[in-house]
Amino acid sequence: MPFLPPPSLSRPFTALLSRLPSRCAVCRAWPSLPVCDACVARFAPPAARCGGCALPVPVGVTRCGDCVKHPSPLDTCLAACTYAWPWPDAIAAFKFRGDAGWAGPFATLLRSAPWVEPALEQCDIVLPMPLAPARLRERGFNQALELARRLSPAKTDATLLLRTRDTPAQSGLARADRLRNLSGAFAVEPLRADKLRGSRIVLVDDVMTSGASLFAAAQALRLAGASHITAVVLARTDPPR
């Protein structure tokens, strides 16, 4: 039977393991970080992305056509990589199989993406995308919070942005329907809303698919008086071709 640390020690224990030499999960090089620098360079290269939704765009283009027609509630949207091999398996291990040791390597990958480091330095508050209570009980932890804590522990606030209700699956819905589906799904803690007025916010999530959840959260932050919102996501799905 494998050794399992007591629950009170599990987070420090997994954090320690994530720093020990290991095989690269992609190319199997040894000794290595969980993903070696060569694989990061190969599978998460800097790319031109839309500033409003982080979809790939031609070099020199700052906003995709959809964000020109329907301006994003985000001032900036940054993604470290495309949601494609080898990242989905590693993200699934982190998100659904409780492998919290991935939080450190993924935060390092995020910090290496263009403009993420300046956004973290210039912001006042780092907010993880919240989970609905039932989803949090199911997973045991919020993966966005684990990323945020490693990106900027001093600025991370886990209780300011709230998920007020769970929502049906978004797949197959048009953009307007996705946004309508998420209307009212996020709120700011009313007793602490003053903290947001005039603040620069970094909103952290693991995977961005349609963007509807991030946009709905950003709208709640705007209503509370946030002056600037940057979304930072680990992986962005590309539209079907």
Side-chain angles (χ1 to χ4, degrees), residues 143-165:
Q143 69 280 355
L145 175 57
E146 296 303 316
L147 290 173
R149 282 174 169 160
R150 286 159 179 80
L151 289 171
S152 185
K155 294 181 179 180
T156 294
D157 191 318
T159 60
L160 189 54
L161 179 63
L162 308 175
R163 181 90 184 218
T164 58
R165 62 181 176 85

Side-chain angles (χ1 to χ4, degrees), residues 36-119:
C36 71
D37 291 342
C39 285
V40 168
R42 181 178 179 185
F43 298 110
R49 293 183 178 275
C50 171
C53 69
L55 282 177
V57 292
V59 175
V61 173
T62 59
R63 286 290 191 275
C64 69
D66 198 44
C67 284
V68 171
K69 291 187 289 186
H70 309 285
S72 167
L74 301 167
D75 292 286
T76 310
C77 190
L78 306 171
C81 62
T82 296
Y83 188 71
W85 193 88
W87 306 117
D89 285 348
I91 292 171
F94 173 46
K95 188 172 181 175
F96 301 117
R97 299 196 289 274
D99 192 347
W102 276 105
F106 282 155
T108 299
L109 178 59
L110 270 167
R111 278 190 169 276
S112 70
W115 309 113
V116 169
E117 194 77 40

